[in-house]
Structure formats: C-alpha cells, structure tokens
Amino acid sequence: MKNILLFGAGKSATSLIDYLLANAPRQKWHLTVADHDLSLIKSKTGKSYYATPAALDIKDDAARQQLIRDTDLVISLLPATLHILVARDCLAEKKHLLTASYIDDEVRQLQPEIEKAGLLFMYEMGLDPGIDHMSAMKLIHSIEKKGGQIFSFKSYCGGLISPDSNDNPWQYKVSWNARNIVMAGISGATYKEKGKVKELTHEQLFDHTKTIQVPGLGKLAFYPNRDSLGYMQAYKLEDLATFMRATLRFPDFCEGWNALIKLGLTDDSHKIATDKLTYTEWASHAVKDGTGTPEENIAQLLGVSTKSKVIRQLKFLGLLSTEVINLGEQTNAGVLQSLVENKLKMEPADKDMIVMMHEIEFERRSMATRMHSYMIVQGEDSIHTAMAKTVGLPLGIMAKMILQDKITLTGLQIPVMPEVYNPVLKELEEYDIRFEESFE
C-alpha cells in the first residue's frame, strides 16, 4: 500500500481528491487529507475506505512532521506562503513533493539539498502555472523539431465565469482562493515586446487592458502576469523579441478592478479600524475635498458619471452602502476580500470556465506563420469547477506516475520536459481538457 498525503481541502482540491480515490483501489493507495476544517475534508472524501481525514493546524510542527514521516508522497494545496513549511519537512523526511504553486525564493534556496537527496519537488504542476507550461513546451518542441524559428510567444489564461452564469456587472465569480484574486498583479508585471523589456506597476496593469479574440467566446481582456522574463530561460527562448504571459478576464472586470486600485482599496500595507466605519466612508477615503455626495465624489475621482457601469459595479459590491464593516483591524485588501467572497460567490448551480490560449509566431522555410492553440474547459457546478479540475488533475496524474516509478527526475522542477508533459497532456484529454489549433 502506498500512502499519499494531501495538505489542503479547499476549492481547488475537489477533482484531485476524486481522482486519487478513484485510482486508489487499483493502484493500492491510501490518501490522508489534512486541513484545519474536518467537516470540509469529509465533504470531499465522503465515506471512502481509502481516505483518512486529518484535522491539522499547519503551524503544529510535530503533527505536520509526523504526517509527512508516515507517507510516501506529499501534495500541497496550501496557501503559497505555507508551502515552505512542508518543503523543509519533505526534505528532512526524504519525501517527494508536488504543488500547483509558483517556485519562490525560499524553496529555490533548498535546490542543492533537494538534488543531493535525490528527491523530486515538482512545483507549478496545476493550471497556470502547470498546463500552460506543458502545452506550450509541447508546441515549442514540435515547431523546433520541424526546423521552425520562433520569434514571438504569448500565452494567456483565465479562470472566468461561464457565459451561462454570467449575471452580474463584474462578469466574474470566485472559483478559487479570493485572497489571490484581490492580490493579483500587486507586484506589477514584466514582459518583453518587440525587443524592449516593459515593466508595469500594479496601478498601470488594469489601466489600459488590451483584448484578444477567443473562438466561440469573442473578445477577452488581458493583462501581463507577474515576471514573464523568468520563463524565457525555462522555455529555452532567451533570444525572443516578444515574450509575454498574461491573465484573461471579461473586459468589464478589468475596468471595475482598475477603479478599486485607484480608490486604494487593494492596499495591503497597513491596517485600519473597521468596527465603526461604513463601506461608503471606507470607499471614499481616497477622495480629497469632495463637495458632492460620496457617490458623486467617487465618480468624479474616477472620471466617470454616477450612471456609469463602474459605479454600478461598486454598488453591486456594496461599496456605497451605509452598512458598518465590523471586521476589526483589517487592511483595505482584507475588507475587499470579504466583499468579493460574499458578493461574487458562485451559487450552487453556477458554472465556471477556464480559457487558455497560446499565440506563437515562427518562421519555417521562409514562411512566417502565426499559430493559435486554445483550450476551453467548462465546470459542472460550484463544487466540481473547471478550476478544480484543471488544477487538480495534473497533480493527480503526476502523483500516479511517481508512485508507479515512471519518473526518474530529481531536483526542483517545473513541468517543461517531454517525459512529464506527453503522458500528462494525453491523460488530460480523457477528461475533456484538450487544445484546438489554428494556423495563419
């Protein structure tokens, strides 16, 4: 019997748990799911003979280390800042680790020790990052194998609401960790366009969003995602004139989010007392010397009319209400997160949607070609989401390959190699996660 330990039973864990338990009888696996919320774990594992729920305070070192000691493979779906606790324990206990999160500086410092221990720490093994790396590398390697010379690479991905459930002025609902939504783009973005490195601050990111055309969906807005340049080396495309990774949203979302940034409501740097503060007072704090009503002052600051779509969006979130916030000491981002979780939550029958598209320009036999490769995945409901499916299934498939001894890789890795992306992408097609391609 092989033991798998999963940390985190949140929104993204559903499909992963389903996959591991479906494979458990045949593969002779046992799954332990650790989370601080026992009832949440049980709602995901049901009464499965192959699953053990473990209530855990992740900061309890002894309990966490004991769970890791007793397992063969660890998967972490914890918030990104907590992975390092698990990573250090996996190194000490000589266990392989899988996660869907980005490689950060803390785990990068462990790289020599991971390599020396002969362990595999596979990071960025989810959706974005994850499926984006695997599908992009498959295309890049295929173009290069046929003698093509790539000169432009753009990759887009977004967790969106399905058109069937798109019924609010934000054109958005929360299908994953709301904290990540509020903090998206907080550190700005860096990418390369036509030979020039472009750097955008958080304030600039949503200000002039551009759009792309997605087959069957029409126009979607995009904004550059984090530091694209770091992936030029990973993709072995260091000499490209254009290289960008970007996030997709419906256009109205970007317009509304830009207003929240201008009002300072995404700030996470200092706490304010909210117990006697109304949402209107909070939303108006950036207004200096306004002479009209709070609504008029905010509209004036944003350069819009009181009848505009943006003011309608702010009202939908409850920002112009006289309700008292009552969240104790909170940052603006913390207050906004509670609003987003509440007002933009998915209803039980709502469906989400994942859209990913790669646009690669290359030359082969003196012919310039632009290739589009795109994927659209629809969720089933608010629990069995497209987000959970696309984040969880790559982790599950990778876990299976490691436990079947089909992977000999070691070290700190992301999934850019054929021995990982070929079998994973092939199995994902069985779950209707596949790409369509077109060429110009």
Side-chain angles (χ1 to χ4, degrees):
M1 198 66 133
K2 292 278 177 79
N3 292 305
I4 302 169
L5 171 61
L6 170 62
F7 286 107
K11 283 187 169 73
S12 298
T14 314
S15 296
L16 172 59
I17 291 170
D18 289 349
Y19 179 90
L20 295 175
L21 293 182
N23 278 273
R26 191 169 63 254
Q27 301 292 341
K28 296 191 168 56
W29 293 342
H30 190 87
L31 173 66
T32 300
V33 183
D35 194 285
H36 66 93
D37 186 341
L38 195 59
S39 62
L40 180 65
I41 303 172
K42 288 178 176 173
S43 75
K44 306 264 168 120
T45 57
K47 292 189 166 70
S48 174
Y49 169 76
Y50 296 94
T52 301
L56 176 75
D57 171 2
I58 194 63
K59 302 273 176 73
D60 181 341
D61 295 346
R64 190 184 65 242
Q65 287 158 4
Q66 188 60 55
L67 284 171
I68 290 172
R69 198 169 296 131
D70 293 342
T71 198
D72 295 292
L73 174 68
V74 179
I75 306 174
S76 178
L77 281 177
L78 293 168
T81 52
L82 297 173
H83 291 312
I84 191 64
L85 299 175
V86 174
R88 289 188 185 120
D89 292 344
C90 285
L91 189 56
E93 301 294 341
K94 302 277 190 285
K95 309 293 180 184
H96 299 305
L97 172 64
L98 303 179
T99 177
S101 287
Y102 287 97
I103 288 181
D104 58 30
D105 292 338
E106 285 186 299
V107 78
R108 200 168 261 121
Q109 288 171 8
L110 301 178
Q111 196 163 357
E113 295 174 68
I114 297 165
E115 191 72 64
K116 191 177 168 192
L119 295 172
L120 173 60
F121 282 25
M122 181 63 82
Y123 272 58
E124 308 191 15
M125 190 69 209
L127 165 67
D128 172 13
I131 293 175
D132 55 343
H133 296 329
M134 293 186 281
S135 52
M137 289 312 297
K138 188 175 181 185
L139 295 173
I140 290 163
H141 287 155
S142 167
I143 290 166
E144 289 174 343
K145 198 182 269 184
K146 291 171 186 160
Q149 183 74 35
I150 297 169
F151 52 88
S152 172
F153 174 88
K154 295 175 184 172
S155 180
Y156 312 88
C157 182
L160 305 162
I161 195 68
S162 169
D164 301 346
S165 307
N166 193 352
D167 56 12
N168 72 52
W170 283 90
Q171 299 196 309
Y172 191 81
K173 291 185 184 179
V174 178
S175 61
W176 58 310
N177 187 328
R179 168 82 179 166
N180 293 356
I181 294 160
V182 172
M183 301 314 291
I186 204 82
S187 52
T190 309
Y191 62 103
K192 198 172 173 188
E193 189 170 47
K194 295 177 180 167
K196 289 185 178 166
V197 172
K198 304 278 183 90
E199 292 188 37
L200 296 177
T201 64
H202 184 221
E203 289 72 27
Q204 294 169 318
L205 262 192
F206 294 87
D207 208 2
H208 297 292
T209 44
K210 297 171 182 169
T211 59
I212 57 161
Q213 199 76 21
V214 178
L217 285 175
K219 277 185 183 172
L220 290 179
F222 69 87
Y223 61 89
N225 181 16
R226 299 182 181 233
D227 178 13
S228 295
L229 304 187
Y231 289 96
M232 293 180 79
Q233 191 178 357
Y235 288 13
K236 297 194 166 49
L237 296 175
E238 293 96 331
D239 302 327
L240 256 58
T242 297
F243 189 98
M244 179 180 68
R245 291 161 45 82
T247 299
L248 292 173
R249 293 283 181 262
F250 284 112
D252 286 0
F253 176 88
C254 291
E255 209 178 321
W257 204 259
N258 194 40
L260 295 177
I261 293 169
K262 279 185 178 171
L263 292 169
L265 303 183
T266 58
D267 180 70
D268 200 41
S269 60
H270 65 279
K271 291 191 172 180
I272 53 169
T274 69
D275 284 351
K276 290 180 181 169
L277 195 67
T278 68
Y279 282 104
T280 303
E281 288 167 339
W282 172 64
S284 304
H285 80 277
V287 176
K288 304 283 184 275
D289 309 320
T291 53
T293 64
E295 186 177 323
E296 287 167 345
N297 293 338
I298 287 172
Q300 191 176 357
L301 178 73
L302 296 173
V304 298
S305 87
T306 53
K307 301 249 184 325
S308 70
K309 179 174 55 195
V310 168
I311 295 297
R312 207 161 68 246
Q313 288 174 313
L314 299 184
K315 283 181 174 172
F316 185 86
L317 277 186
L319 292 187
L320 297 171
S321 83
T322 54
E323 190 185 333
V324 177
I325 298 172
N326 269 341
L327 288 171
E329 292 271 308
Q330 272 292 354
T331 64
N332 284 347
V335 176
L336 184 58
Q337 181 182 333
S338 77
L339 281 175
V340 165
E341 283 172 334
N342 185 24
K343 305 287 186 180
L344 298 181
K345 69 173 183 284
M346 288 179 69
E347 299 302 329
D350 278 341
K351 296 175 182 174
D352 71 328
M353 174 176 71
I354 298 295
V355 181
M356 183 178 288
M357 184 150 91
H358 305 301
E359 183 181 284
I360 304 178
E361 295 179 29
F362 63 97
E363 196 171 286
R364 180 168 168 253
R365 295 178 186 159
S366 303
M367 188 184 288
T369 304
R370 181 187 289 128
M371 169 196 221
H372 286 105
S373 177
Y374 70 94
M375 166 193 94
I376 299 172
V377 181
Q378 300 274 358
E380 295 167 39
D381 54 42
S382 63
I383 303 293
H384 301 90
T385 61
M387 181 67 77
K389 191 173 173 180
T390 49
V391 170
L393 288 175
L395 286 165
I397 297 165
M398 188 70 197
K400 182 169 72 175
M401 286 160 59
I402 290 170
L403 293 174
Q404 289 177 338
D405 295 324
K406 289 182 177 173
I407 293 290
T408 55
L409 271 175
T410 57
L412 178 62
Q413 304 285 356
I414 64 171
V416 291
M417 53 291 288
E419 63 264 42
V420 172
Y421 69 65
N422 279 325
V424 174
L425 291 173
K426 189 174 179 214
E427 188 167 340
L428 285 175
E429 291 195 353
E430 295 172 27
Y431 297 89
D432 290 326
I433 299 172
R434 58 170 61 85
F435 285 80
E436 306 285 335
E437 288 170 12
S438 65
F439 296 85
E440 295 165 36

